[in-house]
Amino acid sequence: CANLRSLMHANTEDSMVSGGRGQDGSPIIIFPEFPSFCEIGDQEFRNVLTYLTSTPSLSAAGVGFIVVIDRRRDRWTCLKGTLLRISGWFPANLRLVLVLRPSAILQRTLSDVFFKLHKDDFKVPVIMLSSLADLHFYIERSQLTQELGGSQYYCHKTWISHRTDLESFAALVKRMAERLQVFGRELAETELPNNLLTASNLLNAQTSRKDSFKEEMAGALSQGRRLLENIREPVRRDPDSSLNPDQLENLATCVMLTVANESVSLIYMKASNNPLLDRVRSVVAEGHCLIDSSQNVDNTVAVKCDELQRVRENLTQELKDKRTMLTQAMELHRRLEMVCKWCDDGIYMLASQPLDKCQSQEGAESALSELECYLETANEKQQWEISTVWLEYENILNNELREQVKRAFEKKASLQEMFERRRVSLKKLAAKQTRPVQPVAPRPEHVMNELLETERAYVEELMCVLQGYAAEMDNPSMAPLIPAALQNKKDVLFGNMQEIYNFHKRIFLKELETYTDCPELVGRCFLDWMGELQIYEKYCHNKPRSESLWRQCSDCTFIQECQKKLEHKLGLDSYLLKPVQRITKYQLLLKEMIKYSKGCEGSVELQAALSSILGILKAVNDSMHLIAITGYEGNLGDLGRLLMQGSFSVWAEHKRGHVKVMELARFKPMQRHLFLHQKALLFCKRREESGEGYEKAPSYSFKQELSMAAIGITEHAKGDSKKFEVWSRSRDEVYTVQAVSEEVKTIWVTEIRKLLTGQLEACKGMDLVLDWFVNKYFETKPKRQDIRSDPTPLGDLFQ
């Protein structure tokens, strides 16, 4: 509280936790531009830092903090003082300090020189940055505030208000828990007096205290709900926005405190019920003893005893009914859990069957036996019908429970459908293999069978991932296991896998199955749905981000727990690679189908389908390179479709006056990656690859752009048959480009000439149109009339 007061009394945003996270989940502390920072006392500075490092969760803080210092308008001396303060005392694990150095020329020069001299004095990893673009290389824009070129909205007053309310609410819940604990202990230890008046007064006092506690608990719950609404306000105001990791942690803390408040009240009620029943029983017994031992007792005692006994019996019966309902609910949840467990195990069993081995008789029979044995284990989990549930549990079924029952039985029905399809396929394979094996060439039916079996397995694997991992990210019981770096990142980790699954499950698999008896015609199916298969481009574009996030979270408890439930031997990353492998597999299967369908009806469609699939793969590959371009200030989409891309050696000549200047010696060319668009040719520098897997993809720094409307080409350059020249129309700039082979050079020259020829024909067509309009214009005017004196605009003829 003292540290929070220091932050409030500072009345400035000298430092803040905006809620952003680094690429590895590190919480970010920002020191924005603040001219009076040096005037803040050491104790106040320590209080503020202590509080800021305590606000993220322990798991997030355990990763280590990133400090961003913005001193673009400051002086080197102030920057040095800030760095010495932080390096001298930081109350948590500090991973990195990113500094936006002074931008004024003098101060920038001083900071460069003196930072190198004093670098060892800071004792923390410090990186000096020249611009916001450099900062965005280390931290994504979505994790930075608008002042740092990011998209994150941050209000310091709102942040302090939320923290103050949250800590006030936490203190209130703690005080109430302590008071209720004391009250519960008093109830358990206080004996009911034998004197009627004293007992009545005691019960009245306890009832009054109970009512007072109920009012306080109701007030606390209202306060918690208001706080929840305030934290959720940004999302309610803009449904497309999302809470940052710190806001999510505040939300989780508030929910936890609210639940704790309710739990305390429930514990109190449970603790107070049993002593109450015991007291009632004791009072009734004493009343009957009093009646039996005295003849002069007022009849009122007997009446009160009977009334008290009835109240006790009614309360006892209500508690029994409540227990019965709770027992039924527990039993229903247990049975639903057994059904879901049976389904999850079945999905894993289907996904883990080696389909390549099923092509043999022995493999098919083994897989079929495994499938049928599993179906025999279904017993009550598989035979339990939904109509039985509605009858047996009618008294306890609310809307929420009904939805859970429906989802469980839909999952069971879907799995049974998969089992039946797999069983039919395995029986066919086993039956086919019983015939004598003939030394004949494979037929299209074999390829079609592999296509269908692998397609079904692919759909099952996608469903397994979406239900076993993606859906669990929305499961409240799993929420505490999800690390901060993974929160609200389902779309990043899984991309558009749900869209891919829906397409294959609902459409493509069923369409492929219609060609079972005429496999040589399956090319038509691919051509009919080629547009929908473009969704794989989106998935592949997101794969580097998914891979990066996976590497941050692969060892987290949430991922491990999901894998444990699914009993998967392979990690999630293997399943995230399935869509990439599948779109690649199609072209292999189509090539096989073409090989065994030569001269058959549909062979033309098969070849067209293969070309289209290869086109998708090329587009995916090209676009993966395209999205790696950095430093291009325009919109790449305005350049038209990307036609080709590749690496070349380039020599550049620039004409200055009457002198040609070589940028580099002719014997040392520049290595450039060229991107040929419909409207422009881009020259980029390829950066070194780093990382692993998809993170190893290269990146490209933009260097030069040539408009296709203003260039020419020389097909043969002197000295090397692999070279060609690209030059501006004025020949002020000439680029000699050397390909890795003559074949590559020919392909590029042909494509560029095709573009230039198309532009020329378009210009000729426009000239003809303009000539026609000009002639039409003169036909409508007297021959001697000068066009310059005609008030009618030429443009009116185009109306």
Side-chain angles (χ1 to χ4, degrees):
C1 291
N3 297 335
L4 179 58
R5 283 194 295 270
S6 296
L7 189 63
M8 294 171 62
H9 289 161
N11 199 31
T12 56
E13 299 178 26
D14 60 294
S15 55
M16 61 187 185
V17 179
S18 63
R21 292 288 188 270
Q23 295 179 358
D24 56 356
S26 302
I28 299 171
I29 295 180
I30 299 174
F31 287 79
E33 292 184 321
F34 179 51
S36 303
F37 181 82
C38 298
E39 300 174 6
I40 299 175
D42 288 341
Q43 188 58 48
E44 188 174 12
F45 174 76
R46 293 190 175 192
N47 290 344
V48 170
L49 269 189
T50 300
Y51 184 78
L52 292 179
T53 52
S54 69
T55 54
S57 65
L58 292 177
S59 60
V63 179
F65 287 82
I66 294 177
V67 171
V68 178
I69 304 176
D70 185 3
R71 290 295 179 265
R72 287 173 290 175
R73 300 181 184 177
D74 214 331
R75 295 166 294 140
W76 160 249
T77 53
C78 293
L79 172 57
K80 177 185 175 183
T82 303
L83 290 173
L84 289 174
R85 264 188 171 186
I86 293 174
S87 63
W89 188 85
F90 194 85
N93 179 20
L94 180 58
R95 297 190 69 247
L96 184 63
V97 178
L98 301 174
V99 179
L100 284 168
R101 60 184 179 180
S103 56
I105 297 177
L106 176 60
Q107 295 299 327
R108 181 171 183 167
T109 305
L110 291 175
S111 63
D112 287 343
V113 174
F114 287 111
F115 175 72
K116 293 178 181 178
L117 294 175
H118 298 281
K119 187 175 182 179
D120 296 336
D121 297 339
F122 300 133
K123 302 176 184 178
V124 292
V126 180
I127 296 178
M128 301 291 284
L129 306 174
S130 301
S131 64
L132 291 178
D134 293 344
L135 177 62
H136 300 159
F137 180 79
Y138 292 91
I139 303 174
E140 292 183 4
R141 291 173 182 264
S142 60
Q143 303 300 314
L144 293 170
T145 59
Q146 296 170 356
E147 292 78 7
L148 296 177
S151 58
Q152 189 181 91
Y153 174 76
Y154 176 80
C155 176
H156 198 56
K157 291 183 179 179
T158 302
W159 184 87
I160 289 180
S161 175
H162 285 175
R163 294 302 309 178
T164 304
D165 294 343
L166 189 62
E167 297 192 8
S168 174
F169 182 50
L172 174 62
V173 172
K174 181 180 178 182
R175 288 196 304 271
M176 290 190 61
E178 292 173 348
R179 292 173 60 197
L180 281 171
Q181 187 177 13
V182 173
F183 185 44
R185 188 164 55 247
E186 289 178 0
L187 289 176
E189 296 175 355
T190 303
E191 296 183 1
L192 196 66
N194 294 327
N195 183 278
L196 180 61
L197 180 61
T198 306
S200 177
N201 291 337
L202 178 61
L203 290 174
N204 289 336
Q206 290 179 345
T207 301
S208 177
R209 291 182 65 187
K210 181 197 73 172
D211 293 339
S212 176
F213 277 126
K214 287 178 65 177
E215 290 181 5
E216 290 184 24
M217 283 189 288
L221 286 173
S222 297
Q223 182 177 342
R225 293 190 185 101
R226 286 194 301 271
L227 181 54
L228 282 172
E229 291 177 0
N230 290 338
I231 296 175
R232 294 192 183 109
E233 175 62 26
V235 177
R236 188 168 56 251
R237 187 174 56 246
D238 180 10
D240 294 332
S241 65
S242 59
L243 300 179
N244 63 49
D246 276 0
Q247 290 172 325
L248 287 171
E249 289 177 0
N250 289 345
L251 191 69
T253 301
C254 187
V255 171
M256 181 183 66
L257 291 171
T258 304
V259 171
N261 185 55
E262 293 177 345
S263 301
V264 166
S265 63
L266 289 174
I267 293 171
Y268 154 69
M269 293 298 295
K270 181 179 177 181
S272 60
N273 276 334
N274 288 337
L276 177 62
L277 291 174
D278 293 339
R279 289 196 194 94
V280 171
R281 187 186 300 109
S282 175
V283 170
V284 171
E286 290 179 7
H288 284 300
C289 290
L290 181 62
I291 294 171
D292 294 338
S293 63
S294 177
Q295 299 294 329
N296 299 322
V297 176
D298 191 340
N299 189 44
T300 305
V301 175
V303 173
K304 291 295 183 183
C305 284
D306 292 342
E307 182 181 350
L308 196 58
Q309 181 65 22
R310 284 194 303 273
V311 171
R312 177 182 175 278
E313 291 174 354
N314 292 338
L315 179 58
T316 302
Q317 186 60 44
E318 289 179 8
L319 291 174
K320 286 182 179 179
D321 293 343
K322 191 70 172 179
R323 173 175 290 181
T324 301
M325 292 181 65
L326 291 173
T327 303
Q328 273 191 306
M330 290 177 62
E331 175 66 16
L332 176 59
H333 281 294
R334 184 186 66 80
R335 297 181 73 175
L336 290 177
E337 185 177 353
M338 290 174 65
V339 171
C340 292
K341 178 68 164 56
W342 182 79
C343 292
D344 292 340
D345 292 343
I347 291 171
Y348 172 71
M349 190 269 290
L350 289 175
S352 60
Q353 281 188 332
L355 296 178
D356 54 337
K357 296 182 180 179
C358 294
Q359 305 302 314
S360 66
Q361 178 183 358
E362 183 181 356
E365 290 177 347
S366 174
L368 184 60
S369 174
E370 181 186 22
L371 188 67
E372 291 176 341
C373 287
Y374 188 80
L375 287 172
E376 291 176 2
T377 66
N379 50 62
E380 66 171 58
K381 291 170 282 188
Q382 194 263 347
Q383 297 171 3
W384 191 35
E385 298 297 334
I386 193 169
S387 57
T388 307
V389 179
W390 303 143
L391 290 175
E392 290 185 10
Y393 299 98
E394 182 180 5
N395 295 332
I396 63 168
L397 285 173
N398 54 22
N399 292 335
E400 183 178 356
L401 272 177
R402 286 181 183 274
E403 287 300 318
Q404 290 185 30
V405 172
K406 288 180 181 178
R407 286 197 298 269
F409 276 89
E410 287 172 358
K411 187 175 184 179
K412 187 188 77 168
S414 177
L415 181 63
Q416 288 173 323
E417 182 183 347
M418 292 182 195
F419 275 141
E420 186 58 30
R421 288 202 305 266
R422 179 65 65 85
R423 181 161 54 179
V424 170
S425 299
L426 290 173
K427 283 184 176 179
K428 288 182 180 179
L429 285 170
K432 286 182 180 180
Q433 297 296 332
T434 57
R435 294 178 294 189
V437 179
Q438 300 292 333
V440 295
R443 295 178 57 82
E445 288 82 358
H446 291 85
V447 182
M448 189 66 194
N449 185 69
E450 182 182 358
L451 172 61
L452 289 174
E453 285 303 309
T454 54
E455 184 73 12
R456 292 179 185 124
Y458 176 55
V459 170
E460 292 162 8
E461 288 168 339
L462 291 183
M463 186 187 73
C464 187
V465 171
L466 292 170
Q467 291 186 352
Y469 288 96
E472 289 297 289
M473 293 183 71
D474 299 323
N475 184 353
S477 63
M478 296 289 283
L481 303 181
I482 301 177
L486 192 57
Q487 291 175 356
N488 290 334
K489 295 291 182 64
K490 183 163 66 173
D491 291 341
V492 175
L493 186 59
F494 299 98
N496 63 327
M497 183 182 284
Q498 183 70 54
E499 182 184 11
I500 293 174
Y501 169 74
N502 291 340
F503 167 66
H504 285 269
K505 167 72 174 175
R506 300 171 184 174
I507 299 175
F508 200 55
L509 176 56
K510 295 178 181 178
E511 291 292 321
L512 287 174
E513 288 174 338
T514 63
Y515 291 87
T516 302
D517 298 328
C518 48
E520 65 277 358
L521 301 180
V522 76
R524 298 174 183 176
C525 182
F526 280 92
L527 292 176
D528 289 342
W529 298 101
M530 195 59 64
E532 282 69 17
L533 288 170
Q534 305 289 336
I535 57 178
Y536 280 89
E537 289 190 36
K538 182 178 179 181
Y539 187 86
C540 293
H541 288 174
N542 180 70
K543 198 67 178 71
R545 298 175 64 212
S546 173
E547 184 94 356
S548 176
L549 182 59
W550 157 254
R551 294 190 181 280
Q552 295 180 43
C553 308
S554 58
D555 295 331
C556 73
T557 307
F558 171 78
I559 297 292
Q560 293 175 352
E561 187 64 24
C562 290
Q563 184 174 346
K564 182 180 178 182
K565 286 183 179 180
L566 293 171
E567 298 182 358
H568 278 184
K569 296 178 182 178
L570 299 176
L572 174 59
D573 56 331
S574 298
Y575 290 93
L576 293 176
L577 196 59
K578 294 291 182 181
V580 181
Q581 295 171 335
R582 189 58 186 167
I583 193 64
T584 306
K585 180 74 171 177
Y586 285 140
Q587 57 112 359
L588 299 176
L589 291 171
L590 286 171
K591 286 179 180 178
E592 288 294 303
M593 188 69 78
I594 291 172
K595 185 190 302 182
Y596 306 128
S597 303
K598 291 181 179 179
C600 297
E601 181 187 1
S603 59
V604 175
E605 287 88 345
L606 283 171
Q607 190 63 53
L610 175 60
S611 299
S612 298
I613 288 291
L614 291 175
I616 290 178
L617 294 175
K618 180 183 181 300
V620 168
N621 181 60
D622 288 347
S623 59
M624 291 296 288
H625 288 274
L626 190 61
I627 63 175
I629 295 178
T630 60
Y632 184 77
E633 296 182 355
N635 184 357
L636 291 172
D638 295 338
L639 303 182
R641 187 163 56 91
L642 176 63
L643 302 175
M644 304 182 73
Q645 54 84 23
S647 295
F648 297 87
S649 297
V650 178
W651 291 262
E653 294 180 0
H654 298 282
K655 187 176 181 181
R656 298 175 183 173
H658 298 287
V659 181
K660 287 186 177 181
V661 181
M662 293 290 295
E663 285 193 350
L664 291 174
R666 184 168 295 275
F667 299 104
K668 188 178 180 183
M670 300 178 291
Q671 299 304 311
R672 292 290 183 261
H673 202 88
L674 273 57
F675 294 86
L676 178 61
H677 293 260
Q678 290 174 309
K679 298 180 181 179
L681 177 63
L682 301 187
F683 291 77
C684 298
K685 182 178 181 180
R686 182 185 178 115
R687 290 181 177 176
E688 292 296 327
E689 300 176 355
S690 60
E692 298 179 7
Y694 274 82
E695 288 185 338
K696 199 175 180 179
S699 61
Y700 305 96
S701 298
F702 169 74
K703 295 298 182 183
Q704 182 70 24
E705 176 183 1
L706 296 179
S707 172
M708 296 303 296
I711 70 168
I713 184 171
T714 302
E715 184 173 348
H716 301 290
K718 295 179 180 179
D720 196 330
S721 60
K722 294 181 292 185
K723 292 180 180 178
F724 63 96
E725 291 183 349
V726 179
W727 35 267
S728 62
R729 291 287 169 84
S730 60
R731 289 190 174 268
D732 287 343
E733 298 178 12
V734 178
Y735 295 90
T736 303
V737 181
Q738 183 183 47
V740 294
S741 67
E742 289 188 36
E743 181 183 3
V744 172
K745 169 205 164 179
T746 301
I747 294 173
W748 273 74
V749 168
T750 302
E751 193 66 37
I752 294 174
R753 284 204 178 279
K754 190 187 300 182
L755 283 175
L756 297 179
T757 303
Q759 291 177 359
L760 181 61
E761 291 176 351
C763 291
K764 289 181 178 179
M766 182 58 69
D767 289 341
L768 291 175
V769 172
L770 289 175
D771 288 343
W772 182 88
F773 277 111
V774 171
N775 293 331
K776 192 74 174 175
Y777 177 84
F778 281 108
E779 287 176 4
T780 62
K781 301 297 175 183
K783 293 183 178 180
R784 294 184 179 179
Q785 184 175 357
D786 189 344
I787 188 172
R788 289 171 295 183
S789 63
D790 182 12
T792 305
L794 184 62
D796 287 354
L797 294 174
F798 289 83
Q799 301 301 321

